[in-house]
């Protein structure tokens, strides 16, 4: 009786050792690719952060020069000593980045480089804060001394009232926005402060044209306490009723 013979198994091209060696080479190639990707990621992350801080520092230098040209005092902050040392360290790391013998990934992710990048961010933040303080100090300087005094509401002169409201809103708000907007905001504050005297003069001329009884009512109505009802005399009531002037006033009860 003849035993059945099984079909031969084709091991495929190459011996088992050869295939194992190919697998090891593939794994090594994959490890090299992962290392390369890790290095590329570390370099990209560090470069992006460094470029962002460099752009902020350059903007601060540019805005600082513009403030000086506008005769605005700008006090540069004292930079902490660790931050001072960080700049040459970052330069040294950047120079060594081209050296293939350097273990760049670990160096970029290490505490020294990360600390240096944080120090650069600290410098940028201190400079930006100093510029904003200088801007707000200039706003306080140009704000008229009588800015807090109430201004009478003159019915029929809504455009004048709108100008007054806009100037008040502008000079009452501290600076908020991008550091690049500081010079333009300073110039707007100066224009608004210069216009304040003009609108004050216009209001004064309009008040001077009113009868004394009505002038007293209008000025009292603009105060925090308002005009008492006793000031609404027949002459005042007639003035309020004409041309719908009374629409600009309200009555309140304490």
């Amino acid at each position: 009786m003849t035993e059945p013979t099984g079909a031969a198994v084709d091991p495929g091209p190459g011996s088992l050792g050869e295939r194992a060696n190919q697998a090891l080479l593939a794994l090594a190639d994959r490890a090299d690719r992962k290392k390369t990707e890790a290095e590329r990621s570390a370099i990209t992350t560090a470069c992006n952060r460094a470029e962002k801080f460099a752009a902020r520092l350059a903007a601060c230098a540019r805005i600082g020069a513009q403030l000086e040209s506008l005769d605005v005092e700008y006090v540069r902050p004292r930079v902490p000593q660790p931050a001072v040392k960080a700049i040459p360290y970052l330069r040294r790391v950047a120079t060594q980045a081209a050296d293939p013998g350097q273990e760049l990934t670990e160096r970029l992710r290490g505490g020294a480089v990360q600390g240096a990048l944080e120090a650069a961010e600290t410098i940028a933040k201190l400079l930006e804060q100093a510029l904003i303080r200088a801007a707000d100090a200039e706003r306080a300087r140009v704000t008229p001394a009588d800015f807090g005094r109430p201004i009478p509401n003159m019915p029929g002169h809504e455009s004048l009232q709108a100008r007054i409201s806009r100037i008040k809103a502008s000079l009452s708000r501290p600076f908020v926005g991008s550091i690049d907007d500081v010079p333009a905001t300073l110039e707007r504050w100066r224009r608004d402060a210069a216009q304040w005297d003009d609108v004050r003069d216009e209001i004064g001329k309009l008040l001077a044209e009113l009868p004394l009884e009505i002038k007293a009512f209008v000025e009292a109505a603009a105060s925090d306490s308002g005009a008492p009802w006793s000031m609404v005399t027949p002459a005042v009531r007639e003035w309020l009723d004409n041309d719908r002037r009374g629409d600009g006033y309200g009555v309140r009860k304490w």
Side-chain angles (χ1 to χ4, degrees):
M1 183 174 178
T2 305
E3 294 183 0
T5 58
V9 178
D10 183 5
S15 66
L16 183 61
E18 289 174 345
R19 281 183 285 168
N21 189 47
Q22 290 173 2
L24 289 174
L25 289 174
L27 289 173
D29 182 60
R30 185 179 301 173
D32 286 342
R33 285 202 305 271
K34 286 186 176 179
K35 182 179 179 182
T36 301
E37 290 171 2
E39 288 180 345
R40 187 183 297 114
S41 175
I43 292 171
T44 300
T45 300
C47 286
N48 286 343
R49 289 186 67 191
E51 287 174 1
K52 181 177 71 174
F53 300 148
R56 287 173 63 184
L57 291 170
C60 288
R62 184 179 68 255
I63 301 303
Q66 289 179 350
L67 290 193
E68 290 178 354
S69 69
L70 293 171
D71 295 325
V72 175
E73 184 177 356
Y74 164 48
V75 180
R76 290 173 176 78
R78 292 181 61 112
V79 178
Q81 192 60 30
V84 174
K85 294 179 179 179
I87 302 302
Y89 181 79
L90 283 176
R91 290 197 185 109
R92 189 162 62 252
V93 172
T95 302
Q96 295 170 346
D99 184 357
Q102 292 286 331
E103 186 60 34
L104 193 58
T105 306
E106 294 302 319
R107 182 181 289 261
L108 290 175
R109 290 177 175 170
V113 170
Q114 295 304 310
L117 289 171
E118 289 173 6
E121 182 178 22
T122 298
I123 296 173
K125 190 179 296 185
L126 289 173
L127 288 169
E128 289 169 351
Q129 290 172 348
L131 289 167
I132 291 173
R133 281 196 301 271
D136 282 330
E138 179 66 6
R139 177 180 62 88
R141 188 189 71 81
V142 302
T143 298
D146 63 347
F147 191 68
R149 284 174 50 196
I151 295 184
N153 182 8
M154 300 299 297
H157 298 275
E158 282 70 22
S159 61
L160 180 58
Q161 297 300 144
R163 286 176 62 196
I164 292 171
S165 297
R166 186 191 61 75
I167 294 172
K168 278 196 166 187
S170 173
L171 293 176
S172 298
R173 285 196 298 262
F175 176 80
V176 176
S178 168
I179 203 73
D180 290 323
D181 297 332
V182 166
T185 302
L186 283 175
E187 292 180 337
R188 189 192 75 228
W189 283 338
R190 287 179 172 179
R191 288 195 302 270
D192 290 340
Q195 290 178 21
W196 183 254
D197 289 337
D198 295 338
V199 297
R200 271 287 194 187
D201 290 343
E202 288 186 50
I203 290 288
K205 290 175 182 177
L206 292 171
L207 286 172
E209 294 172 359
L210 295 175
L212 292 179
E213 198 172 335
I214 297 172
K215 178 175 179 292
F217 167 79
V218 171
E219 290 178 329
S223 66
D224 293 337
S225 57
W229 187 252
S230 60
M231 296 188 73
V232 186
T233 63
V236 171
R237 178 61 186 269
E238 182 181 0
W239 181 79
L240 290 172
D241 287 342
N242 287 335
D243 299 324
R244 300 178 62 87
R245 294 190 185 101
D247 292 347
Y249 295 89
V251 178
R252 65 184 178 188
K253 179 181 178 182
W254 281 270

